[in-house]
Amino acid sequence: MSSNELLEFRSSVRALLAKHATPEALRAAMDSDLGYDPKLWQLLCEQVGVAALAVPEQWGGVGASLVESLMVVGELGRVLSGVPMLGSAVLGVQAVLLTGDEQACERLLPGLAEGSRTAALCWADAQGWDDYGVRAEGGSLSGTAHYVLHGAQADVLLVLTADGLFETSPTAAGVTVTPTPGLDHTRALASITFTETPATRLGDPGTRLRDIAWAALAAEQVGAARRCLEMTVEYTSARVQFGRPIGSFQALKHRMADMYVLVESAESAALLAAQSLAAGSDSAAEDVWVARTYCTEAFSTVAAETIQLHGGIAITWEHDAHLYFKRAHATTELFGTARRPIAA
């Protein structure tokens, strides 16, 4: 898409979310067994085609690039929506594509592109994403994958091991799925244990999958950080103290200006990472690492400032600021940290 087309596309997604992904809907979804609003996911897939964006046309997709998919991830991050875009339509789809297994693509991608089926990527051990939680032994899997996005709701389990990517079902023999509540109540996680579970090897997705995960998180963090900035400007413009809006005080203006600079810079870094990945640039891994590092720090700082500038109301359950603060801290660790480059 051209720049203008991307902006129009983002506006369409944002308009749909403004109508259907309200704070009230978010809190209702958090308390549901599914963890997200299935009607919202259906609308996004049917009216916008978000799940099909990065799927090639030959397998029922739109044939767009990662840039468009990650733009949607950013808009969902802006409203903290828990729909399975990141876990299924980005990581699940990209994991299958990276294996190069055309039979698996033909079998799995049409359903994932429609959004009628969802996939969960099983990867981390108890300590995080630097090691695999599951090992492959012949044609079976054993071990436990932790922190699996929408693991309890998925129709397909894609298991990343030292020996490549495997496909199995949540109803297969030896599979035990345990929902695991985390700090971020807007994101459903699960632990999935495999005990000599039969599985099909699809291939080796390589190291690019982590880059995609980090670039997607950077996009999500930027969307959420921008909403934090908007909330703060709105509140300080309306809150009156000493006979004037508190946002008119010089000290608060400076702090919000710093927040603005962080958000704008983070957006540039996240967009560069997405474009570099989509284009297969030689600098893609470095660009992703920079985006992951900078966007994580920017979101954490902006979320903390949002709490501070809202005052006592921000730490109440009724206000949304604490949800963004928790998302900021949770995404710091998701898919591994970027304190140092990960060796290829």
Side-chain angles (χ1 to χ4, degrees):
M1 293 184 185
S2 66
S3 297
N4 288 336
E5 288 173 331
L6 280 173
L7 291 175
E8 290 178 5
F9 176 67
R10 184 172 67 180
S11 296
S12 298
V13 175
R14 184 172 295 185
L16 189 151
L17 293 176
K19 183 176 181 179
H20 298 283
T22 61
E24 294 77 18
L26 171 65
R27 290 173 182 270
M30 286 166 47
D31 294 332
S32 68
D33 293 335
L34 197 58
Y36 65 91
D37 182 357
K39 293 182 179 179
L40 173 61
W41 180 236
Q42 183 178 7
L43 285 172
L44 286 166
C45 292
E46 292 181 353
Q47 295 188 12
V48 187
V50 298
L53 285 172
V55 177
E57 293 181 10
Q58 67 189 100
W59 293 306
V62 175
S65 72
L66 272 174
V67 174
E68 289 80 9
S69 290
L70 299 195
M71 182 173 286
V72 173
V73 171
E75 289 303 307
L76 292 170
R78 187 173 181 273
V79 295
L80 301 183
S81 176
V83 297
M85 180 69 190
L86 174 57
S88 180
V90 175
L91 296 181
V93 165
Q94 292 301 314
V96 174
L97 287 172
L98 288 172
T99 64
D101 187 329
E102 293 198 0
Q103 291 184 345
C105 290
E106 185 175 357
R107 183 175 67 254
L108 297 173
L109 294 185
L112 297 182
E114 289 178 356
S116 58
R117 304 182 75 201
T118 59
L121 183 64
C122 307
W123 178 349
D125 70 359
Q127 303 304 313
W129 286 263
D130 287 337
D131 291 303
Y132 305 105
V134 181
R135 64 186 182 278
E137 299 173 346
S140 65
L141 303 172
S142 295
T144 300
H146 296 263
Y147 323 115
V148 181
L149 271 63
H150 296 293
Q153 297 83 20
D155 304 293
V156 179
L157 299 181
L158 300 172
V159 187
L160 194 60
T161 74
D163 298 308
L165 186 72
F166 289 77
E167 173 201 349
T168 189
S169 167
T171 60
V175 176
T176 302
V177 180
T178 306
T180 52
L183 171 66
D184 179 7
H185 295 171
T186 66
R187 174 166 278 150
L189 300 175
S191 295
I192 304 180
T193 299
F194 302 88
T195 306
E196 297 183 353
T197 300
T200 302
R201 186 179 187 276
L202 304 184
D204 184 2
T207 59
R208 181 178 164 90
L209 194 56
R210 189 194 292 265
D211 288 340
I212 292 171
W214 279 4
L217 272 186
E220 180 186 279
Q221 289 168 325
V222 168
R226 186 169 293 282
R227 181 57 190 147
C228 284
L229 174 60
E230 293 170 354
M231 289 165 50
T232 304
V233 172
E234 290 168 3
Y235 178 77
T236 57
S237 298
R239 177 76 167 89
V240 174
Q241 189 70 29
F242 305 112
R244 55 191 287 196
I246 62 174
S248 65
F249 292 108
Q250 192 79 358
L252 299 194
K253 286 182 179 179
H254 286 169
R255 291 174 71 169
M256 285 184 283
D258 289 340
M259 292 168 69
Y260 175 78
V261 171
L262 284 173
V263 172
E264 289 293 313
S265 302
E267 184 171 37
S268 296
L271 182 57
L272 176 61
Q275 292 174 336
S276 294
L277 276 176
S281 171
D282 292 339
S283 65
E286 181 180 356
D287 293 336
V288 168
W289 188 85
V290 169
R292 171 62 168 151
T293 303
Y294 190 84
C295 294
T296 296
E297 294 177 357
F299 184 23
S300 295
T301 300
V302 170
E305 282 289 86
T306 298
I307 295 287
Q308 289 291 321
L309 295 179
H310 274 78
I313 192 174
I315 62 172
T316 63
W317 177 250
E318 290 76 17
H319 201 277
D320 292 336
H322 74 95
L323 297 178
Y324 287 87
F325 185 77
K326 291 173 181 176
R327 173 67 69 92
H329 282 271
T331 55
T332 298
E333 301 295 329
L334 192 60
F335 304 128
T337 60
R339 298 188 185 96
R340 56 181 173 79
I342 300 297

